[in-house]
Amino acid sequence: MKYNFSRRSVLAGSGAALMTGLAGGRLFAAEPEKPAEIIVRAWGGEWVDALKRGVSDPFTAATGITVRHDLTEDNEIQPKVWAAVDQGRVPPIHINWDTTTNATKSALRGVTEDLSDLSNLAGVTDLAKPVGLEGYPIVNTYGYVYVLAYRPEAFPDGAPKSWKDLLDPRLKGRIALYNDGIGFHFPAQVAGGGSLEDIPANMQPAWDFIAKMKEQAPLLGEDPDFTTWFQNGEIDAACTISTNALAAKRNGIDLAWTVPEEGSKFDTDGLWIPKGLPENELYWAKQYINFAITKDAQQVWLDGLGLPGVVPGLTPPEGLAGDPSYPTTEEEFKHLIRVSAKVQVENESDWFAKFKEIMQG
Amino acid sequence: MTSPSQRFVFWGLVLFSVLILSLPTIIVVGASFTAGNIIAFPPQGLSLQWYEKIALARDLRQAFGRSLIVSLVCLAVSVPVGTLAGIALTRYRLRFAGALQVYLLLPFTIPLIGSGIGMMLVFGQWGLLGSLWPVGVACAVINLPFIIWSVSSSAASLDPDLELAAATCGAGRVETFFHVTLPGVMPGMITGGLLMFVLAMTEFLVSLLLTDSRTVTLPVQIYNNVRSIITPDLAAVSSVFVLLALAAVWLLDRLVGLEIFLKSK
Amino acid sequence: MPRPDQEPFRYPLRWRVMDMAEAALDLLWPRRFAAATGWLMVLPALLLVGLLVAGMVEIADNSLRVLDRSTFRLSEDYTLANYRTVMESATYGGVILRSVWAAALTVVFTLVLAFPFAYLLVRTPRAWVRKTLLVVLFLPFFIGQVVRAYGLLIILGTKGVVNQGFGLVGIEPVRLLFNFPAVVFGEVQYMLPFAVLMLAPALTAIPQETETAAGSLGANWIRVMWHVTLPMAKPGLVGAGLVVGTLTLTDFAIPAMLGGGSQDFIANAIYDQFFRTADQGLGAALALLLVALGSVFAGVVIAVFGAGTLGMGARK
């Protein structure tokens, strides 16, 4: 990957930004004692590499606090954090990098710290605010699109125009979806002839379409699987977050992606802090998140992920300006499907169960 | 085996088994020496770069150290407990022995995911999660039948007259136990102990549930890495495991002889 | 001046310690308690396994509560709703059937491979052959499940060794991974050492002379195996089958790593409920169901065939 600036200057610049970010806190009281390390749960592969470059390393450079990345799955850490808070133990992580839907569950359960007092929240876009929750139990940090990623080699006639193109018999066994179907439920609803207004009341069209897709014997996996599968030539197309396709592409695999005519799901990820941390560790964990929403941190972090951030004025990563996976204008958002966090939180497990039922049948 | 056809069939099946048992190991070890960035076979060029990388990787080293501690805790718990139980089950006439057998087989009949979740809930309530020793205890629990089993097969082959003879010569109960019974079951203790050590070292699912990033053990760390991009450093870690396994097998062979596993009760 | 032989006898320290230990034991555990000595010695093991029982009680409690999706907590009051969900769901029926079917296949294939392995191991006159076979057996056993599944991923991938071999003889790459046969193969590979180790002692116990005698009476080797060796090896076969069956039925890692997401076993479904959808109650109900399934399987096998080599300490 090429950046327009040297790594050193990024570190220096971010450090300076962090210092301004921290200045507000210093006015009130002496800085609380620094912990030896803070633990941030993250997704592996390209995801954690980008976070490390953009946020963790500069944070360490500026504060001297080591950042440890915990690569436990977000789903696995959730019950562990919940149990720790319930049982009055110190939670196993300081910061959870989580999907907004999962984070909302934690917020509803009441295990998240309120982050409304972060000074840098003054400069963020609406995307940062979790919808339907009071204050900031989570800070959303970027948006992402579940694109249709494909190997151009396997599509000689050009990019697939519709999700229905995946039903082509020659793609049998060559498609991948998330193992709970996340990202695929809503486009499937449209592709199956249904309407988005019917979510969640009537999703039969989605299930019918997914049942057809089952005949194609798709591989089912999680984020890193997609990159690996593309790299090892196991699949030709996938419904996945653009980041995973981008990672394979940056590793030299010929890949492209598109938002088909039915649309693609758009969602956000965020950062949050579990309750039960010692006072000083809570303070520094907050500073980490405060730093993650500075322009400098976002620029490098999201260059790595290839995703649009929550502060205005970011330079799109090379080759992604105008890309459907990097929506910035209202026009681009029109093709994307957004469903409220509330509806998702209340129904997601049913959708997962239904998807599993079809795929495991 | 005198019949050629029997020899053919048996050796054919055995060679197939040998192949499927060793091939993954050989491939993994081979792949670890690649000079390339992805796992490929045959490896692209030879290099030790991935070994250098894992030697420098603090998280892997720490995870290895933790796995060692877990295994030692498991040993410290399971050897005395399993030895006493193994001796008792063989040398003493116990009432309800049948029920006892079924109860002691629970670690095998309760699926690991059940045991793991159960202990996660219990240890959590007792506020013990987050330290390393409960993981060792958990490993001792789930593999306990192995050591009871190997001690009791040693104890079964020990002539009960020896203990009587010791008593006749005036030895007390403690003396008989330490000088007659215990040496008699020593081979079983060593085999069982080594088995427990290695099983704790490689235990995955229960550790996954009981550890967090401050206490993550090596197999869990490997699993987490396998789930992100598979790079050859994992092959190098696996090769270290192979080396460790070789050492354990060698040690076992020197201490009691591998043939002990063929002994019938 | 006392003569040397009149010098008072110096009681060695070790004896004194031993005497003290004996006295302490007589005080704490008089000989009249002898009938209970065995129980005292198994007590620590009982307590240790008690941890599992405590966990099961905890799981049972969770299984009777349902998840409230406005607070993401389990309900205070008890209900059987989770069990109803499991019974009514088509998914779990399929997953349970798949696990049972895979366990059955794995037991059969593993025993078919393990029997000749154990037989040669026991019967071979050459020490180096025996040692080699033992090392081949122990190495994977000691390496652990995750690393071994990882090795299989490399070998069986579309660009893996096997497919490269196919390529040499002009066969197109085949999808070998991420399907049911791949999972069963992974299980067989994983279970083989367990099975051989349970079988070998049972085969050792069969005197070679019985086979020779049957052979000299005119039976061919298949008949000798069928009528003499296999029946006499029954305890070993039962023990091995029991261990392989329960371990496969309840396995998590192999279906997760080799199944490509569509070959879940019950353990994977439990994991999903506990972790992916955060429904601990439903996950707990499934877990209890799996415990019941495993116990029934073990119970039936033990009732019909006896505990085989699994009978801990039972003298035969």
Side-chain angles (χ1 to χ4, degrees):
Chain A
M1 250 169 291
K2 284 261 183 296
Y3 292 108
N4 301 332
F5 23 54
S6 78
R7 187 181 163 80
R8 186 178 295 272
S9 74
V10 172
L11 290 184
S14 315
L18 179 63
M19 283 312 155
T20 39
L22 297 184
R26 283 222 193 92
L27 289 179
F28 295 107
E31 210 170 69
E33 190 197 338
K34 286 177 182 171
E37 62 171 11
I38 62 172
I39 302 172
V40 181
R41 193 219 70 83
W43 288 284
E46 197 57 30
W47 295 82
V48 68
D49 290 345
L51 180 77
K52 187 167 168 359
R53 268 195 314 271
V55 188
S56 302
D57 283 349
F59 180 79
T60 304
T63 61
I65 301 172
T66 316
V67 177
R68 186 208 293 252
H69 299 103
D70 178 353
L71 300 185
T72 312
E73 273 291 309
D74 51 344
N75 297 311
E76 279 163 20
I77 207 74
Q78 182 171 283
K80 288 184 185 182
V81 171
W82 289 7
V85 175
D86 277 1
Q87 293 162 351
R89 286 180 282 122
V90 175
I93 52 170
H94 292 91
I95 292 163
N96 199 2
W97 181 11
D98 209 351
T99 64
T100 302
T101 309
N102 258 345
T104 304
K105 291 182 189 170
S106 294
L108 287 173
R109 196 177 158 110
V111 299
T112 53
E113 290 280 359
D114 181 50
L115 302 172
S116 306
D117 56 349
L118 297 187
S119 57
N120 292 340
L121 280 176
V124 296
T125 62
D126 290 346
L127 206 56
K129 171 91 177 80
V131 185
L133 293 170
E134 243 169 75
Y136 279 92
I138 314 152
V139 174
N140 292 337
T141 46
Y142 55 84
Y144 55 92
V145 181
Y146 290 89
V147 293
L148 197 177
Y150 61 98
R151 295 197 312 132
E153 212 182 311
F155 290 84
D157 306 334
K161 296 202 168 43
S162 160
W163 289 102
K164 291 178 208 152
D165 291 357
L166 295 183
L167 297 177
D168 191 329
R170 73 193 163 80
L171 291 175
K172 186 163 184 180
R174 306 287 303 166
I175 302 166
L177 302 173
Y178 283 96
N179 51 16
D180 42 20
I182 196 166
F184 193 65
H185 306 127
F186 308 149
Q189 169 83 354
V190 183
S195 118
L196 291 176
E197 279 76 59
D198 283 348
I199 296 175
N202 171 23
M203 292 190 53
Q204 198 50 45
W207 308 132
D208 292 343
F209 187 73
I210 289 169
K212 279 188 208 160
M213 193 55 80
K214 149 93 179 153
E215 300 304 311
Q216 291 287 69
L219 294 191
L220 304 172
E222 281 157 24
D223 279 318
D225 295 324
F226 293 96
T227 312
T228 311
W229 288 338
F230 272 125
Q231 262 170 274
N232 293 341
E234 301 277 0
I235 54 171
D236 291 326
C239 170
T240 184
I241 298 175
S242 55
T243 305
N244 301 314
L246 187 67
K249 191 178 179 182
R250 283 172 174 168
N251 280 329
I253 310 292
D254 185 20
L255 271 188
W257 48 86
T258 177
V259 172
E261 59 194 17
E262 294 92 349
S264 279
K265 186 189 176 198
F266 176 87
D267 216 328
T268 49
D269 283 346
L271 300 172
W272 58 275
I273 301 174
K275 282 185 178 160
L277 290 173
E279 220 30 67
N280 64 322
E281 296 182 22
L282 171 64
Y283 173 87
W284 289 105
K286 279 184 169 180
Q287 293 313 316
Y288 182 92
I289 297 184
N290 202 27
F291 174 58
I293 48 175
T294 58
K295 194 174 169 189
D296 296 272
Q298 287 248 308
Q299 183 68 54
V300 183
W301 181 18
L302 299 177
D303 266 351
L305 298 179
L307 297 175
V310 294
V311 291
L314 294 177
T315 319
E318 206 182 319
L320 284 184
D323 190 281
S325 70
Y326 196 90
T328 44
T329 65
E330 209 163 305
E331 181 61 29
E332 285 165 324
F333 269 108
K334 248 201 248 163
H335 294 292
L336 301 176
I337 306 170
R338 288 197 75 177
V339 170
S340 83
K342 181 172 181 297
V343 171
Q344 293 199 52
V345 163
E346 280 170 5
N347 298 285
E348 205 178 41
S349 26
D350 293 335
W351 300 337
F352 289 172
K354 186 74 190 171
F355 183 86
K356 281 257 163 187
E357 184 182 317
I358 294 169
M359 286 300 169
Q360 298 286 338
Chain B
M1 280 200 302
T2 42
S3 151
S5 62
Q6 183 185 14
R7 209 173 293 157
F8 180 77
V9 171
F10 272 44
W11 272 108
L13 286 172
V14 169
L15 286 181
F16 178 72
S17 301
V18 170
L19 190 75
I20 64 169
L21 282 176
S22 356
L23 200 61
T25 316
I26 294 170
I27 297 286
V28 167
V29 173
S32 69
F33 293 106
T34 185
N37 280 331
I38 53 170
I39 296 247
F41 210 86
Q44 307 155 308
L46 276 180
S47 113
L48 287 175
Q49 58 165 334
W50 296 106
Y51 285 92
E52 197 183 324
K53 188 178 166 200
I54 61 164
L56 295 175
R58 195 171 60 114
D59 51 348
L60 284 174
R61 246 193 358 253
Q62 287 176 337
F64 180 77
R66 286 190 211 104
S67 276
L68 268 182
I69 296 174
V70 164
S71 303
L72 289 175
V73 171
C74 171
L75 264 191
V77 173
S78 65
V79 171
V81 172
T83 305
L84 285 177
I87 294 173
L89 283 170
T90 331
R91 318 294 288 175
Y92 293 84
R93 191 173 287 282
L94 297 174
R95 292 175 68 187
F96 314 114
L100 198 61
Q101 297 262 353
V102 174
Y103 180 83
L104 288 178
L105 264 181
L106 275 179
F108 277 7
T109 46
I110 297 179
L112 280 185
I113 187 133
S115 313
I117 291 176
M119 286 191 282
M120 181 174 99
L121 296 171
V122 170
F123 286 153
Q125 258 172 15
W126 295 347
L128 300 176
L129 282 185
S131 23
L132 216 45
W133 65 265
V135 185
V137 173
C139 287
V141 176
I142 57 173
N143 293 319
L144 195 65
F146 280 116
I147 188 156
I148 300 185
W149 183 47
S150 69
V151 170
S152 65
S153 66
S154 265
S157 59
L158 183 70
D159 192 339
D161 291 344
L162 281 177
E163 284 170 5
L164 287 179
T168 317
C169 295
R173 288 180 292 165
V174 177
E175 197 167 6
T176 311
F177 183 79
F178 279 103
H179 288 136
V180 180
T181 318
L182 215 50
V185 299
M186 194 54 88
M189 282 170 70
I190 294 176
T191 344
L194 219 66
L195 213 56
M196 295 304 283
F197 184 84
V198 173
L199 287 173
M201 197 76 199
T202 57
E203 160 46 47
F204 155 67
L205 187 55
V206 168
S207 319
L208 178 73
L209 297 171
L210 295 183
T211 56
D212 59 43
S213 65
R214 298 184 186 97
T215 53
V216 65
T217 56
L218 193 51
V220 180
Q221 182 82 38
I222 293 180
Y223 180 70
N224 281 339
N225 288 355
V226 170
R227 288 199 300 191
S228 42
I229 312 299
I230 301 186
T231 46
D233 55 345
L234 280 180
V237 177
S238 308
S239 305
V240 173
F241 252 113
V242 173
L243 209 66
L244 205 76
L246 265 178
V249 172
W250 178 80
L251 196 69
L252 191 64
D253 194 32
R254 287 302 301 270
L255 288 178
V256 287
L258 289 178
E259 283 82 359
I260 191 162
F261 284 96
L262 306 181
K263 277 213 317 225
S264 73
K265 286 191 203 169
Chain C
M1 187 176 155
R3 297 208 306 271
D5 58 340
Q6 280 177 338
E7 194 176 334
F9 177 67
R10 294 279 291 274
Y11 208 59
L13 180 66
R14 213 166 57 91
W15 291 14
R16 261 180 283 177
V17 171
M18 207 49 94
D19 278 351
M20 261 148 63
E22 298 284 0
L25 187 67
D26 283 337
L27 197 68
L28 291 171
W29 195 259
R31 280 170 194 272
R32 62 196 154 80
F33 289 177
T37 305
W39 278 98
L40 182 72
M41 287 168 76
V42 281
L43 189 64
L46 295 185
L47 290 178
L48 211 53
V49 176
L51 268 177
L52 286 186
V53 179
M56 284 300 121
V57 171
E58 201 63 33
I59 287 182
D61 178 90
N62 273 356
S63 78
L64 293 171
R65 300 163 188 270
V66 287
L67 183 72
D68 177 348
R69 287 195 199 155
S70 58
T71 56
F72 279 87
R73 286 174 185 279
L74 292 179
S75 64
E76 286 297 319
D77 38 303
Y78 293 114
T79 149
L80 286 173
N82 289 320
Y83 291 95
R84 216 172 300 132
T85 312
V86 175
M87 291 306 157
E88 283 165 6
S89 150
T91 320
Y92 300 124
V95 167
I96 290 170
L97 272 184
R98 177 185 297 125
S99 321
V100 172
W101 178 226
L105 286 177
T106 305
V107 169
V108 172
F109 288 132
T110 311
L111 289 185
V112 164
L113 288 177
F115 181 77
F117 202 107
Y119 188 83
L120 281 186
L121 202 54
V122 169
R123 286 284 190 261
T124 181
R126 275 161 301 203
W128 70 267
V129 173
R130 183 174 305 125
K131 193 134 281 180
T132 312
L133 288 181
L134 276 169
V135 172
V136 165
L137 200 67
F138 273 104
L139 219 47
F141 191 56
F142 281 6
I143 288 171
Q145 204 178 5
V146 174
V147 173
R148 284 163 71 187
Y150 169 62
L152 288 179
L153 277 179
I154 302 175
I155 290 182
L156 298 176
T158 305
K159 289 181 179 167
V161 183
V162 175
N163 265 317
Q164 281 180 355
F166 283 175
L168 292 181
V169 292
I171 304 176
E172 287 285 300
V174 195
R175 166 69 45 75
L176 298 167
L177 283 173
F178 313 133
N179 49 33
F180 185 70
V183 174
V184 173
F185 176 76
E187 296 287 1
V188 171
Q189 204 261 5
Y190 175 52
M191 297 298 167
L192 197 51
F194 286 98
V196 175
L197 288 182
M198 319 241 26
L199 259 180
L203 289 179
T204 313
I206 304 173
Q208 192 155 11
E209 293 76 23
T210 35
E211 289 173 16
T212 323
S216 66
L217 290 174
N220 66 20
W221 70 268
I222 298 178
R223 291 169 64 100
V224 173
M225 284 295 136
W226 191 254
H227 291 294
V228 179
T229 318
L230 278 178
M232 290 182 80
K234 203 185 76 178
L237 289 170
V238 171
L242 209 59
V243 168
V244 173
T246 45
L247 289 185
T248 309
L249 187 68
T250 60
D251 194 29
F252 170 82
I254 303 256
M257 293 175 78
L258 301 181
S262 59
Q263 303 297 330
D264 283 3
F265 282 14
I266 312 173
N268 306 81
I270 296 171
Y271 171 93
D272 270 354
Q273 285 311 325
F274 252 87
F275 298 106
R276 203 176 302 284
T277 45
D279 194 341
Q280 292 206 4
L282 189 54
L286 277 170
L288 271 197
L289 207 72
L290 182 52
V291 172
L293 209 62
S295 311
V296 166
F297 170 69
V300 167
V301 171
I302 291 179
V304 175
F305 301 107
T309 46
L310 270 191
M312 282 175 293
R315 250 178 289 176
K316 307 223 169 55

